[in-house]
Amino acid sequence: MKKSTLRHLGCFASILALTAAFGITTINDAAAQDKKVLRFIPHSGLRITDPIITTAFMSRNHGYMIYDTLFGVDEKMQPQPQMVEKYDVSGDKLTYTFTLRDGLKFHDGAPVTTTDVIASLQRWGKNDAMGQKLIAYTKEMKEVDAKTFQIILKEPYGLVIDSLAKPSSNVPFIMPKKMADTPANQNVPDEIGSGPYRMVKAEFQPGVKVVYEKNPDYKPRSEPPSYMAGGKVVKVDRVEWITMSDAQTAMNALIKGEVDIWEQPSFDLLPALKKEKDIEIRNLQPLGMNYMLRMNWLQPPLDNVKVRQAILHAVNQEDYLAAQVGDPDYYKVCPAMFGCATPLNTAEGAPKPSIETAKKLLKESGYKGEKIVIMAPTDLGSIAQLPLVSGPVLRSIGMNVDVQSMDWQTLVGRRAKMDPVDQGGWHIFHTAWGTADMMNPIANAGVKGLGKEGGFFGWTEDPVIEKLRDDYARETDPEKQKQIAAAVQKRAYEMVLYVPLGEYFQPSAVRKNVKGTLPSPAVVLWNIEKE
C-alpha cells in the first residue's frame, strides 16, 4: 500500500477518534438528530403566552404544548378523563367528585394538587363563556384531599363535564396555584405546566420563534390518542415554532425540508403544493372554521343598534369567502351561528344581504359621518383579506372608514382596550373561530351579553340573550335545546352581537416523512414522528 494512502487512512482514523472523543456530529448522526426535531410554521407569531387572558388560537395552541386538562374531547366530541382518574355524581346531581391520576407533576418538579386545579378553574371561569356559566351555577369548589376535589352546584347543571372538556378558546388548562392566582386580565409570570412539552424560555423570541422540549416527567394515558383525549405520547425531543409571515418563503422552506409542517398555507398556493412529491395536504381541523366580524358596542356610533344593523345588511358572505379563500371546495355560505355541521344548525334571524336596506338603516340611525376604525392584521394570512372587503363595503353605504394595518399580536392586544378611538380604541375587527368554539350558546363567546363584566371583546350587553342562554344551560331535552338555541340566534341577529362571514376548512401542508399527525379542534403536536 502506498504511503500516501496510509497517511490518508491515518488522518481518517484521527478524525473518527476526534469525533468520538468530542461528540462532533457526523452526517449520519445529524440526520438521526434531525428526526427528533419537529419544525412547525404557525399561523402567526406567539407573543401572548397566557391562554386564559386571550382567545387567540396561537396562545391556545401554546397552551396545549405545555399544559394539561382535566378532560379532553375525543373524535366523537365526547368528554374523556385526562388528568382525572375517576369521577362520580351524586344522586341529586349537585355534587361532582373528581380524583386526579397518580404521578401528575409540574415542570418545576412540584406535584399537581387539587389546590392548583381549583385555582386554575376559578381563574379560567372569570374569562371563558362556558367557565363563567359553570361558576355562576357553582356553590363551592372544595378540596377533599391533595388528589380529590368537588364541584358543588347551586342547582343541577347539565354542562359540567362538557365545560371542563372545552377543547378550544378558552381551554381550562391546569397551572400551578402561584400562577393561577395571577389576575385574569394579566399574563401569568411564568410558563409552568404539567403537559407533554416544556417551553425553552431561554430561546423564546416573541413573535419570531418558540422552542419546546419533551417533558421527561410526563406520563401519557394508556388509551389511543383521539382529538384532545387519550395518550399524549411525545415522539420527538424538540419542537420549534418558526414564524414566517411571507407565504412564499414558508412554501419554499417546506419544499426544501427546512420545516416539516405549515399550519395554514395560503389557499392560492395549495395547487402548487399539491404538485410537490414530498408534500401532502392534510385536513387536520375537520370541524371547520367560521369567520366573524365583531363590533365594539362601547364606541359610538356602534352603540346604536341601527348602525350595527346597517353593517349586518351590507355584508354578503360570498364576497368575504371568495376574497379570503377563493376556492369553493374549501368554503360555504353559513348563516348558522353555532355551525352548519352541528345539531343546532339554523338560519333563524339571518337577513338577506341588501345594500339598499343597509343605506336606509344607516340614514335612519342618524349617522353623522363618524370615523369607523377597522383593525387589519398584516401577518395573519388566514383572515388578512376580510377587513379589506369590509372597508369598501361600508364605504359603499356611506360610512367613513379608516382601515388601520398592524400585526395580529398587536391587534390581539389592542382589541382588549375599551378606550376611545383617539386613545387607541377601535370599532371593528375580524377573526376566525373553530366550530368547536361556537357549537352551542354557552360555548360561543360571540353571543354573550355580559357587557364589560365578562363579555368578549366588543362587550355586547343584553339581558334578554343572557336569560335565553341560562334557559339553554338548564335544559336537558335536545329538541328543546334546539328551540332555545334558535331563539338565541334570532336575538343575536336582531341586536347584531356579531356578523357571521361564512364557514371554511383550512388544510395544513405536511412533508410526507412526518407521520402521526392528529386531526383535532386545535393544533396538537404529540404522537408525531419523522421517518
Side-chain angles (χ1 to χ4, degrees):
M1 187 177 292
K2 294 181 180 179
K3 292 184 179 180
S4 60
T5 303
L6 289 171
R7 283 197 300 271
H8 287 311
L9 287 173
C11 290
F12 184 65
S14 299
I15 291 171
L16 289 176
L18 287 170
T19 297
F22 295 99
I24 300 171
T25 302
T26 66
I27 293 173
N28 289 336
D29 289 338
Q33 289 177 13
D34 189 65
K35 287 184 178 180
K36 292 296 185 179
V37 179
L38 184 72
R39 296 180 179 89
F40 173 80
I41 304 176
H43 64 269
S44 181
L46 178 70
R47 287 193 174 89
I48 299 175
T49 59
D50 187 339
I52 303 303
I53 67 170
T54 178
T55 56
F57 285 174
M58 277 299 302
S59 303
R60 175 204 66 186
N61 296 346
H62 164 72
Y64 271 114
M65 296 292 286
I66 69 171
Y67 299 111
D68 212 346
T69 56
L70 297 174
F71 291 82
V73 294
D74 61 19
E75 61 188 15
K76 296 180 180 179
M77 294 302 288
Q78 296 299 310
Q80 304 295 340
Q82 185 61 34
M83 296 174 76
V84 166
E85 180 64 34
K86 62 181 180 178
Y87 73 99
D88 59 62
V89 186
S90 62
D92 60 7
K93 308 297 183 184
L94 293 179
T95 302
Y96 286 69
T97 302
F98 305 89
T99 301
L100 300 177
R101 288 199 290 141
D102 290 332
L104 300 179
K105 187 185 296 186
F106 286 118
H107 298 155
D108 61 359
V112 177
T113 69
T114 54
T115 301
D116 306 301
V117 170
I118 290 174
S120 298
L121 294 180
Q122 289 174 337
R123 183 171 187 261
W124 163 74
K126 293 177 182 177
N127 285 357
D128 179 72
M130 290 192 78
Q132 289 166 344
K133 194 62 69 177
L134 175 61
I135 295 297
Y137 279 83
T138 297
K139 178 181 178 181
E140 180 185 7
M141 290 188 184
K142 179 181 177 182
E143 298 176 36
V144 177
D145 55 43
K147 286 183 56 183
T148 307
F149 73 100
Q150 294 178 327
I151 295 179
I152 303 170
L153 303 174
K154 301 173 186 175
E155 60 181 287
Y157 179 62
L159 300 175
V160 174
I161 304 302
D162 295 86
S163 300
L164 300 180
K166 189 170 186 282
S168 195
S169 302
N170 301 96
V171 178
F173 292 118
I174 303 304
M175 55 185 64
K177 183 179 185 298
K178 62 185 178 182
M179 289 169 54
D181 285 342
T182 305
N185 62 348
Q186 296 179 20
N187 203 93
V188 290
D190 210 340
E191 307 299 323
I192 301 172
S194 64
Y197 289 97
R198 300 184 300 198
M199 182 179 176
V200 183
K201 288 172 282 188
E203 296 187 56
F204 180 41
Q205 301 175 47
V208 179
K209 185 178 182 179
V210 198
V211 176
Y212 305 92
E213 63 184 7
K214 180 179 180 178
N215 176 11
D217 294 327
Y218 186 75
K219 295 183 178 180
R221 294 188 67 90
S222 59
E223 302 91 342
S226 177
Y227 277 18
M228 331 318 292
K232 300 178 179 179
V233 179
V234 174
K235 299 180 179 180
V236 295
D237 294 331
R238 178 182 171 97
V239 176
E240 298 177 357
W241 287 11
I242 305 168
T243 304
M244 296 184 186
S245 57
D246 180 74
Q248 189 64 50
T249 300
M251 183 173 78
N252 291 341
L254 184 69
I255 292 171
K256 293 177 182 178
E258 296 168 351
V259 295
D260 305 298
I261 302 174
W262 185 8
E263 181 191 359
Q264 294 186 0
S266 302
F267 286 101
D268 61 329
L269 295 179
L270 288 177
L273 286 167
K274 289 177 180 178
K275 295 177 182 178
E276 293 292 329
K277 63 181 179 62
D278 295 324
I279 307 295
E280 286 183 346
I281 305 302
R282 302 179 189 173
N283 183 14
L284 301 181
Q285 294 183 315
L287 295 179
M289 303 281 290
N290 298 265
Y291 291 127
M292 170 192 289
L293 183 155
R294 182 73 169 180
M295 290 180 257
N296 187 347
W297 280 31
L298 303 182
Q299 293 286 1
L302 298 187
D303 56 347
N304 184 329
V305 67
K306 285 208 168 183
V307 175
R308 298 197 301 269
Q309 288 173 346
I311 293 172
L312 170 64
H313 282 78
V315 165
N316 185 331
Q317 288 191 6
E318 184 70 39
D319 294 338
Y320 288 84
L321 294 167
Q324 183 61 63
V325 180
D327 188 342
D329 288 343
Y330 294 106
Y331 73 74
K332 67 183 294 185
V333 170
C334 177
M337 289 186 169
F338 308 119
C340 280
T342 75
L344 302 184
N345 174 21
T346 177
E348 187 71 36
K352 293 183 178 180
S354 171
I355 293 295
E356 292 307 312
T357 301
K359 289 179 177 179
K360 179 175 178 292
L361 286 165
L362 191 63
K363 183 177 180 180
E364 291 173 358
S365 74
Y367 174 70
K368 296 181 175 60
E370 298 96 328
K371 181 172 68 173
I372 304 297
V373 172
I374 299 177
M375 297 190 292
T378 56
D379 65 334
L380 186 52
S382 60
I383 63 170
Q385 297 302 314
L386 303 180
L388 305 184
V389 175
S390 288
V393 166
L394 299 190
R395 292 187 189 105
S396 75
I397 66 172
M399 300 191 88
N400 174 19
V401 178
D402 180 14
V403 178
Q404 297 184 4
S405 298
M406 63 198 74
D407 65 65
W408 174 244
Q409 293 300 311
T410 298
L411 188 154
V412 166
R414 184 173 170 183
R415 71 179 179 179
K417 298 184 68 172
M418 299 183 186
D419 302 322
V421 168
D422 59 3
Q423 297 177 31
W426 57 276
H427 285 104
I428 291 172
F429 76 92
H430 304 73
T431 190
W433 294 83
T435 299
D437 296 293
M438 310 177 74
M439 60 194 307
N440 66 57
I442 308 304
N444 189 333
V447 299
K448 288 196 297 184
L450 294 171
K452 293 181 181 179
E453 301 301 322
F456 180 59
F457 310 112
W459 304 286
T460 54
E461 185 171 3
D462 183 36
V464 174
I465 210 161
E466 280 305 298
K467 181 183 182 304
L468 288 169
R469 292 177 70 238
D470 275 328
D471 291 343
Y472 180 89
R474 294 188 182 99
E475 186 54 64
T476 58
D477 182 89
E479 289 305 313
K480 291 181 179 178
Q481 283 184 333
K482 289 181 183 180
Q483 295 172 14
I484 298 170
V488 171
Q489 179 170 298
K490 182 178 180 181
R491 178 66 177 179
Y493 269 119
E494 178 186 342
M495 300 303 292
V496 198
L497 273 69
Y498 71 90
V499 182
L501 300 179
E503 187 174 81
Y504 73 103
F505 300 88
Q506 173 67 64
S508 296
V510 185
R511 290 192 63 81
K512 288 183 178 179
N513 68 320
V514 175
K515 307 297 182 181
T517 51
L518 292 169
S520 66
V523 172
V524 297
L525 296 178
W526 51 80
N527 197 56
I528 295 176
E529 57 189 327
K530 292 167 64 176
E531 294 182 347

